[in-house]
Amino acid sequence: MGNMMRLDRFLTEAGAGTRSEVKKYIRAGRVTVAGERAARPEIKLDPDTCQVLLDGAPVSLNRDIYLMLHKPAGVISATEDPREKTVLDLIDLPGKERLFPVGRLDKDTTGLLLLTDDGQLGHFLTSPKKHVKKRYLARVRGRVGEEDVRLFKEGLQIDPDWKARPADLYILKEDEISLVEVVLTEGRFHQVKRMFEAVDKKVISLKRLSMGPLILDEKLAPGQWRPLTEEEIKALEGQGHES
């Protein structure tokens, strides 16, 4: 018999949620251990041999961790920093030191951020050669018009050494402060901001809505996170296995 472990600790370390969240799952009758509905968070189990199900889906310690974070402004996309608050500081989860952010968001940019310890998937989603689509919502100072849509579609010359890949620009509100969505297939430093600067406009706020098949859960307030669902993980893995 292996080392016995409390059920709530097992679920937390498996990435099912925080300790307080998994206790709620157990009390709600959503967890079974060896085919029996778990009654208490303190029951002991052997993590190597005992089957644990959450909402009918198996939970295991040896699986990779995938978390969706609604990144707030003022937090940097890094694993550690001596001066700044990082996205990992927002995560209350044992084993979080293994996690890294997939695709960095600027300090003042909000929205979807994937945190994982799956290096292969992280590399795929951020590889310039894979052209993974990323959708952003932006408030822009300046009237964004059809000419900007055309220029984005053609690919903007950002500087002498960089012409951006073609991007889709959708105008939601055309005004002195315009509201737009931008869909990119690359992700260079300050890219959206620099693209609008190239057409003499300024990004006031920027929020990432999606990356590949993963869409920000709007139920998450800024600073909140949750584990990905099995469907979300399968969708990401499916994209990661494409050639």
Side-chain angles (χ1 to χ4, degrees), residues 102 121-136 165 183-187 208 210-214 236 239-240 242:
V102 177
L121 180 65
H123 175 73
F124 176 90
L125 292 172
T126 56
S127 171
K129 297 178 181 179
K130 301 302 181 181
H131 309 316
V132 174
K133 287 187 177 182
K134 294 166 279 286
R135 180 181 290 266
Y136 295 85
R165 287 182 55 79
V183 180
L184 307 177
T185 56
E186 60 183 342
R208 184 157 66 188
S210 66
M211 180 174 61
L214 192 61
L236 284 174
Q239 177 149 353
E242 293 174 358

Side-chain angles (χ1 to χ4, degrees), residues 105-163:
L105 295 179
D106 298 338
K107 182 177 179 180
D108 56 349
T109 299
T110 65
L112 174 67
L113 190 64
L114 172 64
L115 297 164
T116 185
D117 56 353
D118 185 341
Q120 182 177 356
L121 180 65
H123 175 73
F124 176 90
L125 292 172
T126 56
S127 171
K129 297 178 181 179
K130 301 302 181 181
H131 309 316
V132 174
K133 287 187 177 182
K134 294 166 279 286
R135 180 181 290 266
Y136 295 85
L137 180 69
R139 290 173 61 244
V140 179
R141 179 170 286 113
R143 193 176 291 274
V144 179
E146 291 304 318
E147 177 65 9
D148 299 310
V149 173
R150 184 184 67 80
L151 291 170
F152 272 59
K153 193 71 174 178
E154 289 181 355
L156 287 162
Q157 192 73 43
I158 305 299
D159 59 40
D161 300 320
W162 174 31
K163 183 176 182 179

Side-chain angles (χ1 to χ4, degrees), residues 106 140-141 144 148 151-152 156-159 162 189-204:
D106 298 338
V140 179
R141 179 170 286 113
V144 179
D148 299 310
L151 291 170
F152 272 59
L156 287 162
Q157 192 73 43
I158 305 299
D159 59 40
W162 174 31
F189 185 65
H190 291 328
Q191 177 152 352
V192 176
K193 296 174 183 177
R194 293 174 71 187
M195 290 174 76
F196 278 104
E197 287 171 1
V199 293
D200 298 319
K201 295 173 180 67
K202 181 178 176 61
V203 172
I204 300 172

